[in-house]
Structures are given as structure tokens and as C-alpha cells.
Amino acid sequence: MTIIHLSFGVATTIIVYFAAKAIHRKVSWLHPIIVCAAVLMSMLLIGGIPLEDYKAGADLLSLFLGPATIALGVPIYKHREHIKDNFKAVMLSITCGSIVGVGSVAVIMFIFSGAHEIAMSMLPKSVSSPIAVEIAKSLGAVPELAAVFTVFTGLVGALAGTAFLRKVGIKDEVSLGLALGTAAHGFGTAKCLSDSEKQGSFSGLAMGLMGVITSVLFAVMFVFM
């Protein structure tokens, strides 16, 4: 691994992402992650660049995911009194969201006779990718598929979640934050934070609790499977 490989992955990812953000400001429905992924994959394919050479540097950026996630605790702390006042409702809504998120996939796959392996990989789609991958492994599913379904779910939630909820009359910031954090994990939380700190604080809380509650739910299911 050379310094060239390291700098290439980091610099390319950052430049492409900021370009994607600029495009997003002009074309709001085009999510930066979609543009960034499409451009980077095209560059690697057209340029014949080995994925390992790109990952050597790009993986360094993943080190910042931990601090970025922990930083969500700041808005949560700032709105702790409001969260405390509504904690029972928050827990109930996230628990129901977890059950519906898992149950809806099971029902849809049963109705359309979906392949068992795909169904198992899709079940944890509403939690963050690291948790979804571990759940998929415990279910004997395909971790890579679980990651794909999780990212896709997050993107759909970030792109259309807020607009859909407002369309059906849900405009309260707490409700919007809880809904997107529960259904669209990190992508939804990022969208909420861009709209308002209060909305983002409840979304970040929902994302964290969703991971815990869903993991417990699967643990119970695993015992009786």
C-alpha cells in the first residue's frame, strides 16, 4: 500500500462527493450518495482501476463514521428534556415501527412467494448497515444482500420520506424525526438534521433505539425459530 493509493481513494471520494452535493443543490431529487456511487463506479470501470487500490485510501474515511455517529448525541442531549417528556410515546412508536418494518417484509415475501434467502436478507432493512449485516449472518442470510437492501431503504426514506409524510398531513418535527429515524436509519437522520436540529435529534434517537429494539426482536425470533 503506497501513499499514492491512500491519497487517491480519499481525494477522489471527497472531490466527487462535494461535486455531487453541488448537483443536489440544483437537482434536489438527485441524492448525493447516488451520484457519488455512480461516478466512482464509472471511474473505476472505465479507468480499469482495481477496487483494492481505491479501497486502500477510501477505507480511511470509514474511521470517521464512529465520531460522526457519536456526534449525534449532541443534538439529542440539547433536546433531552423534550425527549424525556415524550419518552413513553417515543419507545412505543419505535417498537411498533420495528415490528411493522420486519412484519411487512415477511408478509410481502410470503404473498409473492419470495426466496427464503432473499426474505431473510431483507428483514433487517430498517436498521443501520452494520447491525443489519450481523442480523443477516445470525439468520443464515446473505450479508451483502442485507447491506444493499438497507442502503436502498435509507435512500428511499431520505428522498421521499419527508415529502410523503407531509403529504399525508404529518408535519410535526418530532413525528417526522421519529418516522425517518425508525424507517430510514442514517440516511433519514441526515435528512432530518438538514431540515432542523430538533427533528434530527429525535431521528438520531430513533435510529439508535431502532437498532437495539430490532436486535432484541430478532434474538427472540431466533430462539423460537
Side-chain angles (χ1 to χ4, degrees):
M1 186 187 299
T2 67
I3 190 65
I4 295 176
H5 291 157
L6 290 173
S7 59
F8 170 73
V10 173
T12 303
T13 304
I14 292 174
I15 292 170
V16 172
Y17 180 73
F18 275 101
K21 289 280 286 183
I23 294 173
H24 178 62
R25 284 193 288 270
K26 296 183 180 296
V27 187
S28 60
W29 58 268
L30 203 54
H31 199 281
I33 297 299
I34 297 175
V35 176
C36 194
V39 172
L40 289 172
M41 286 189 289
S42 299
M43 287 176 60
L44 296 180
L45 288 172
I46 295 172
I49 302 169
L51 180 62
E52 292 74 19
D53 289 351
Y54 167 74
K55 278 175 60 63
D59 281 349
L60 288 176
L61 294 173
S62 64
L63 295 175
F64 294 98
L65 286 176
T69 303
I70 293 171
L72 291 174
V74 175
I76 293 175
Y77 179 77
K78 290 173 70 173
H79 294 274
R80 64 190 181 283
E81 293 301 327
H82 196 175
I83 291 172
K84 189 187 301 182
D85 293 340
N86 296 276
F87 192 70
K88 289 183 179 179
V90 167
M91 288 298 296
L92 179 61
S93 63
I94 298 172
T95 302
C96 290
S98 177
I99 294 171
V100 171
V102 174
S104 60
V105 171
V107 170
I108 291 171
M109 295 302 289
F110 176 78
I111 292 174
F112 292 99
S113 302
H116 178 76
E117 197 172 51
I118 295 177
M120 291 295 102
S121 302
M122 193 182 293
L123 285 176
K125 63 178 177 53
S126 294
V127 296
S128 57
S129 295
I131 298 176
V133 166
E134 291 304 316
I135 291 175
K137 288 179 181 178
S138 69
L139 294 174
V142 183
E144 292 80 8
L145 270 180
V148 170
F149 289 132
T150 301
V151 171
F152 180 74
T153 300
L155 278 173
V156 172
L159 289 171
T162 301
F164 172 77
L165 291 171
R166 291 187 185 280
K167 197 75 173 179
V168 298
I170 300 174
K171 299 179 181 179
D172 175 65
E173 288 192 326
V174 173
S175 300
L176 289 171
L178 289 175
L180 286 181
T182 299
H185 44 84
F187 287 98
T189 299
K191 175 63 172 65
C192 288
L193 282 169
S194 69
D195 291 339
S196 82
E197 185 181 76
K198 181 179 179 180
Q199 192 179 135
S201 67
F202 276 88
S203 183
L205 178 67
M207 180 182 72
L209 290 175
M210 180 69 172
V212 174
I213 293 171
T214 302
S215 297
V216 172
L217 177 63
F218 273 106
V220 173
M221 289 172 57
F222 188 75
V223 171
F224 293 98
M225 284 177 64

